[in-house]
Amino acid sequence: MKIKYYIVAFASLLLTSCSDFLDLTPISEASSANYYKNTSDINSALSACYGSLQGTYQYGEYFISLMELRSDNVEDINPGGAAGMFYFIDNFTATSGNNVVRYAWKELYNQIYRCNNVLASIDVVTDAALKKQYEGEAMFLRALAYFNIVRLWGAAPLILKPVTAAEAKSYGRSAVADVYKAIEEDLEVASGMLTSAYDDDNLGRATSVAAKALLAKAYLTQQKWSAAATLLDNIVKDYSSKYGLQNTVADVFDVNQEMNKEILFAVRYSKSVLGEGHGYNDYFKDKSVIDSKLLASYGNTDDRKAMIEYKKVDANNNVIAKYYDTFDATTAKVGFDLPLLRWADVLLMCAEAHNEVAYENSESSKALSYLNLIRKRANAVEYKVTDLKDQSAFRKAVLEERRLEFPFELHRWFDLIRTDTAIEAMSKVGFTITKNDYLYPIPKTEVDLIDNPETFPQNPGYN
């Protein structure tokens, strides 16, 4: 049974649609105290924090454009759709008035707002074990939100407690290093509070391994190679009895095997429950164009190519096999989960980190072994050390392997940014970009509201 992200009616005080981040109207002291009375209230509020992930403005739609469409994996071929707001993301012409940018920012700060309220009221939970778990979950979800914010926009307001609307306006953009420090602190604490797994009734909640894997990704993004390598080695050592690679890539995405041993954290859906399913995003369908170079990069025996070939669902939907699902007869929705962290990611991050710490010219090197575990599972030809003769060659091989393993899982754009290879990669698909394009514009509504270029400047290239 899936953890349900239901937003229950009595929580509507918190969860009614807000305007942008700085326009949030926090609960008053009285309503906050009256609302969070017991463990059940905190659990419901946490469900709303998870529910933010499902929505249109995050992983339900807009993140697919911001994190995958932006990359070289897929191309938007509908410039007139939705007034071009997705097309402009794909073509690096989005302005600070783009609604994808605006509402993604808004919903991420709404998620942080919810998490902050949970953490501020956590003492109403009387069971010590549950209190620890709920606190860890809220910190994980807040860290995830800030990790997305800092990668999408760079410096950003860092709000770690409930604030009034007036107080919110006083927050400037905190330095990237400060945002990452807060992310690391949340995940370090959360990893010590959370359990390694849940029973079937709670599958989908954040676990200690998810917190550690996300922390490792934050280290990797900052090029903290030694810290990443050490943490990832410990993840493999401590969790390999519960987690690991599925036998085939197809098994990972089989809707009848969701939350399998490879999935560390996923955005969960349920097509049979009203409001918990979703439709097919156009970028998962044949209404977009998959990069021919990506398709050509798979070897003849590589099973992963079939996962991004189209499979017919019905007369109106040809979708990539990775996300194949049938529509529920009652809700007319599909319900496949969207994995955010999986064991294959841990292994490839581990290979990358160890290569960056020190390239090892050996068939028995840890980095090569982890890289080949991924290729072996895919029935791809395994690398020999003579194929990857130096650190640079190995680095390129890992980046390419990540592209082959994770297409349409919202990793590619961030991988190109953190490895500083986006300019070269995008030039191969016809786009001339600069490092200004590594970040999105701060929504114009935010810049205009603060009206202080010193504390709340627009990102370069968007003025």
Side-chain angles (χ1 to χ4, degrees):
M1 182 178 177
K2 297 183 178 183
I3 176 177
K4 299 300 190 292
Y5 298 152
Y6 302 143
I7 301 178
V8 293
F10 73 84
S12 61
L13 281 174
L14 285 178
L15 305 176
T16 50
S17 178
C18 302
S19 57
D20 293 356
F21 147 66
L22 292 170
D23 294 327
L24 290 175
T25 304
I27 313 168
S28 68
E29 291 290 331
S31 64
S32 178
N34 291 335
Y35 176 75
Y36 291 116
K37 293 180 178 179
N38 53 46
T39 298
S40 179
D41 293 346
I42 292 292
N43 187 43
S44 296
L46 261 180
S47 293
C49 295
Y50 282 104
S52 296
L53 305 179
Q54 289 181 327
T56 296
Y57 302 146
Q58 290 203 50
Y59 293 98
E61 184 173 6
Y62 284 13
F63 280 9
I64 298 169
S65 296
L66 295 170
M67 301 175 184
E68 189 75 18
L69 177 64
R70 182 79 154 188
S71 77
D72 53 347
N73 278 349
V74 62
E75 178 185 359
D76 187 310
I77 55 174
N78 184 19
M85 67 180 185
F86 300 112
Y87 182 82
F88 296 147
I89 296 292
D90 184 30
N91 286 271
F92 297 90
T93 54
T95 68
S96 61
N98 184 282
N99 275 340
V100 177
V101 173
R102 176 187 177 186
Y103 287 108
W105 170 284
K106 163 193 165 179
E107 188 55 30
L108 282 164
Y109 273 103
N110 281 346
Q111 180 180 333
I112 290 165
Y113 167 74
R114 293 165 180 144
C115 291
N116 284 343
N117 278 314
V118 168
L119 291 167
S121 303
I122 198 69
D123 285 342
V124 303
V125 180
T126 55
D127 181 280
L130 270 181
K131 178 181 177 182
K132 184 178 178 182
Q133 174 193 318
Y134 290 165
E135 187 171 1
E137 289 181 82
M139 295 180 87
F140 172 87
L141 292 167
R142 184 172 68 180
L144 176 60
Y146 272 121
F147 190 41
N148 284 329
I149 286 168
V150 76
R151 292 185 296 172
L152 292 169
W153 290 284
L158 185 59
I159 301 177
L160 302 174
K161 62 181 181 180
V163 295
T164 67
E167 289 170 336
K169 292 181 181 180
S170 70
Y171 280 79
R173 296 179 65 187
S174 295
V176 167
D178 292 334
V179 179
Y180 271 112
K181 183 174 183 289
I183 292 166
E184 291 177 8
E185 289 175 351
D186 270 359
L187 292 173
E188 286 165 359
V189 174
S191 65
M193 290 182 161
L194 295 169
T195 183
S196 62
Y198 293 96
D199 59 23
D200 288 350
D201 288 342
N202 289 285
L203 287 179
R205 290 185 181 274
T207 61
S208 58
V209 66
K212 291 178 181 180
L214 188 60
L215 178 58
K217 191 176 284 286
Y219 285 155
L220 215 66
T221 303
Q222 299 172 86
Q223 299 186 354
K224 294 182 176 181
W225 307 119
S226 294
T230 299
L231 178 55
L232 289 159
D233 280 345
N234 287 334
I235 291 172
V236 173
K237 176 174 65 71
D238 295 339
Y239 293 95
S240 57
S241 63
K242 292 183 178 179
Y243 297 92
L245 296 178
Q246 289 286 88
N247 290 332
T248 69
V249 180
D251 287 344
V252 179
F253 296 93
D254 184 346
V255 292
N256 296 311
Q257 300 184 55
E258 290 182 324
M259 295 308 295
N260 55 67
K261 67 178 181 178
E262 186 159 339
I263 305 301
L264 309 185
F265 188 73
V267 180
R268 307 226 58 202
Y269 295 92
S270 177
K271 65 182 178 181
S272 63
V273 178
L274 190 65
E276 288 291 299
H278 56 92
Y280 273 113
N281 187 282
D282 280 352
Y283 305 118
F284 295 161
K285 299 163 62 174
D286 59 358
K287 293 186 178 181
S288 60
V289 176
I290 299 174
D291 179 39
S292 59
K293 295 182 182 66
L294 169 59
L295 293 169
S297 296
Y298 291 100
N300 293 334
T301 63
D302 197 322
D303 295 337
R304 295 171 295 188
K305 183 177 181 180
M307 298 303 297
I308 58 171
E309 292 176 340
Y310 293 114
K311 186 173 180 178
K312 186 174 182 177
V313 178
D314 58 25
N316 299 313
N317 292 281
N318 291 314
V319 306
I320 57 171
K322 178 175 283 190
Y323 294 131
Y324 176 84
D325 193 7
T326 57
F327 288 93
D328 183 83
T330 301
T331 65
K333 298 293 184 180
V334 293
F336 61 84
D337 295 344
L338 183 66
L340 302 190
L341 294 165
R342 55 186 178 97
W343 195 255
D345 199 0
V346 167
L347 297 181
L348 285 177
M349 286 195 293
C350 203
E352 180 177 352
H354 278 285
N355 178 62
E356 296 297 343
V357 169
Y359 170 75
E360 186 178 348
N361 185 19
S362 168
E363 292 288 351
S364 61
S365 80
K366 185 177 292 187
L368 184 62
S369 297
Y370 286 138
L371 178 58
N372 276 333
L373 280 175
I374 302 301
R375 293 188 65 78
K376 182 178 180 180
R377 194 266 296 272
N379 287 320
V381 177
E382 295 177 49
Y383 285 114
K384 297 184 181 300
V385 71
T386 52
D387 298 324
L388 308 172
K389 295 183 179 180
D390 56 30
Q391 187 181 55
S392 177
F394 198 101
R395 182 183 297 128
K396 291 177 181 178
V398 172
L399 180 61
E400 179 67 8
E401 199 64 31
R402 292 186 62 82
R403 189 185 193 195
L404 299 175
E405 182 69 21
F406 303 120
F408 300 94
E409 295 180 53
L410 283 59
H411 294 294
R412 179 61 173 173
W413 178 244
F414 290 144
D415 283 346
L416 292 176
I417 297 306
R418 66 178 182 78
T419 57
D420 195 18
T421 55
I423 293 173
E424 178 185 359
M426 298 313 299
S427 70
K428 294 178 181 178
V429 291
F431 290 100
T432 300
I433 67 171
T434 71
K435 288 193 175 182
N436 286 346
D437 295 302
Y438 283 17
L439 297 175
Y440 287 100
I442 302 296
K444 185 177 186 298
T445 49
E446 307 303 316
V447 175
D448 289 350
L449 182 63
I450 298 302
D451 194 24
N452 188 334
E454 291 186 6
T455 64
F456 208 93
Q458 180 57 271
N459 278 332
Y462 295 105
N463 291 322

